[in-house]
Structures are given as structure tokens and as C-alpha cells.
């Protein structure tokens, strides 16, 4: 059925949201294995997925603990990595326009994947459907597979040998790539990748991602300087489309 305002068909939105939710949700298995292998208990591992529910921060926390890091330092790194979700929330609050009573519950699902699916939708109806279906699917599967991974940690062994920890980021990159339509967006993404990967060996877990976030203001500043010297162009594909 097509939405009443002529947007994307509901079935297509649900299909896309389910695809992302299922693909990324299954990578919770890797987190369960990694977390227990890092010394956390089954209860602690499941509590992280239930309460924190942001894969990058969870992996950063258990990775720092596995490397012998101080628990408070590991938690701080995970916290700062999760701060990005607050910025997602600022944008999604305008697009979703949910009732006040619902917002605290919806905030639990404001993560990379739900944000990407929501921002890809053309209408408020499809934004709400995409956000809800992605969030619900991912939350249920992530927690279920976390439990299964934690229970089977001894049998699986080293997750690096299986490459399970790459499943979630790979799906998200596949989802993000088609959204990079302008030159400026591609430059920001490329610079962010260079910063994130280049600083990975020298900075604590989680910090390279925060530094990579500086790519956007840096490119915007450089573009502003360029335009100040040359004047506004009439037809420049570096100008991002308004949403």
C-alpha cells in the first residue's frame, strides 16, 4: 500500500527496514562472544545490550577492557562514542514529531541504523515506519543474538578469526554509500575515513571516531573560505540538497 501522501510504499519501507534490522541485529552474536571473552559475565553482557543498545559503544567498552584498560576509562570512551546519538536525536525529533510521552522510549532506538533508514525516507509517515521497524527488529535480534553469543562464547573462540565483528559496520556502510550524492558529502565521508582509520593505531578505542566527526566542520569551513574568494556559483554540485 502506498502512503496517503504519495510517498514511498509502506511495504517497501518495511522491507528496507527489516533488511537493515536483521542484517545488523545478527552481529549481536559477535558482541556476546567478545564481551564474555573479555571477562564480562553473561548478565553484564546482556544488560549492556538491553540498556546501552549502541553497538559501537559496546564493542569499544569490551575492547578496552580486553586490552587491560581501566573500567572507568573504558566506560568514558564508550560514553563519548555514544554522544553522537544525541545529535541524531536532534534531527530525528523534527522528522518524527512524536508525542512527548513516546519520546523517552523512542530515544532508546536512536542509533546509526535507525537514523540512516529514517533519513532516507521522503515523508513523515515513511520516516516513522522506517524508524519503528528498524528499531524494533534490531533491538529484539541484537539482544537475542547477544544472549546466544554469550552462551556459546567458549565454543566459538576468537571472533576475529570469523570476522563477525565486521558484519554490522559493513551493512551500515552499504546503506550509507548511496546517500552520498554531492561532492561535499563524498569529501566529508572520505576525510572521515582517513581520520578514523589513520588514528586508530595511536588513539584509545572510540576516540578516532570522535576525531573523524571533525571532518564535516573542517570541509564546511574550507568550502566557506573557497566561496568567499570566488563568489557563489550558480550551479555547484557541492551544495547539499535540503531535506
Amino acid at each position: 500500500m502506498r502512503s496517503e501522501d504519495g510517498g514511498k510504499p509502506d511495504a517497501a519501507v518495511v522491507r528496507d527496514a527489516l533488511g537493515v534490522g536483521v542484517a545488523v541485529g545478527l552481529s549481536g552474536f559477535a558482541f556476546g562472544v567478545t564481551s564474555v571473552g573479555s571477562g564480562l559475565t553473561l548478565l553484564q553482557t546482556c544488560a549492556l545490550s538491553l540498556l546501552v543498545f549502541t553497538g559501537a559503544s559496546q564493542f569499544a567498552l569490551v575492547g578496552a577492557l580486553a586490552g587491560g584498560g581501566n573500567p572507568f576509562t573504558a566506560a568514558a570512551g564508550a560514553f563519548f562514542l555514544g554522544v553522537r546519538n544525541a545529535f541524531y536525536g536532534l534531527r530525528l525529533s523534527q522528522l518524527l514529531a512524536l508525542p512527548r510521552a513516546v519520546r523517552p522510549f523512542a530515544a532508546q532506538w536512536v542509533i546509526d541504523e535507525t537514523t540512516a533508514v529514517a533519513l532516507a525516507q521522503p515523508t513523515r509517515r515513511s520516516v516513522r515506519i522506517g524508524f519503528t521497524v528498524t528499531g524494533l527488529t534490531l533491538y529484539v535480534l541484537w539482544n537475542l543474538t547477544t544472549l546466544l553469543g554469550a552462551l556459546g562464547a567458549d565454543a566459538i573462540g576468537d571472533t576475529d578469526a570469523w570476522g563477525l565483528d565486521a558484519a554490522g559496520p559493513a551493512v551500515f556502510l552499504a546503506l550509507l554509500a548511496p546517500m552520498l550524492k554531492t561532492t561535499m558529502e563524498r569529501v566529508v565521508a572520505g576525510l572521515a575515513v582517513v581520520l578514523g582509520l589513520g588514528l586508530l593505531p595511536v588513539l584509545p578505542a572510540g576516540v578516532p571516531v570522535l576525531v573523524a566527526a571533525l571532518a564535516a566542520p573542517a570541509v564546511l569551513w574550507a568550502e566557506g573560505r573557497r566561496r568567499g574568494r570566488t563568489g557563489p556559483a550558480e550551479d555547484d554540485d557541492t551544495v547539499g540538497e535540503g531535506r
Side-chain angles (χ1 to χ4, degrees):
M1 181 181 77
R2 183 173 290 274
S3 63
E4 295 176 358
D5 51 10
K8 194 173 181 180
D10 293 349
V13 179
V14 171
R15 182 189 64 239
D16 294 344
L18 283 174
V20 174
V22 171
V24 179
L26 293 176
S27 62
F29 188 87
F31 171 72
V33 174
T34 304
S35 180
V36 172
S38 300
L40 273 68
T41 66
L42 173 65
L43 181 60
Q44 290 170 331
T45 296
C46 292
L48 276 174
S49 285
L50 284 167
L51 302 177
V52 178
F53 187 55
T54 171
S57 295
Q58 292 177 229
F59 274 111
L61 175 63
V62 299
L65 292 176
N70 182 287
F72 294 102
T73 303
F79 170 79
F80 284 114
L81 183 58
V83 165
R84 72 193 188 285
N85 294 338
F87 295 98
Y88 295 160
L90 293 176
R91 178 59 174 148
L92 288 179
S93 66
Q94 300 173 355
L95 296 177
L96 293 169
L98 297 172
R100 286 185 180 274
V102 179
R103 292 175 190 175
F105 302 98
Q108 178 70 354
W109 291 353
V110 176
I111 54 176
D112 296 329
E113 292 77 15
T114 55
T115 301
V117 172
L119 292 179
Q121 307 310 319
T123 65
R124 175 161 292 163
R125 175 187 175 89
S126 57
V127 166
R128 288 178 171 178
I129 293 173
F131 176 84
T132 303
V133 174
T134 306
L136 178 61
T137 306
L138 186 50
Y139 189 76
V140 171
L141 278 179
W142 180 266
N143 282 283
L144 178 60
T145 55
T146 292
L147 174 61
L148 294 176
L151 292 172
D154 291 336
I156 295 296
D158 184 11
T159 53
D160 290 340
W162 294 82
L164 296 175
D165 54 340
V171 172
F172 182 67
L173 287 176
L175 179 69
L176 180 65
M179 299 175 66
L180 304 177
K181 298 178 180 179
T182 68
T183 300
M184 183 181 292
E185 289 170 350
R186 289 189 285 268
V187 170
V188 170
L191 179 58
V193 169
V194 170
L195 288 173
L197 294 181
L199 296 174
L200 195 61
V202 296
L203 293 179
V207 176
V209 176
L210 296 177
V211 177
L214 298 175
V219 172
L220 288 173
W221 176 82
E223 179 65 12
R225 295 268 297 180
R226 185 185 71 82
R227 287 183 179 279
R229 292 194 303 268
T230 62
E234 294 182 1
D235 238 341
D236 194 339
D237 70 344
T238 62
V239 180
E241 298 177 357
R243 185 176 290 275

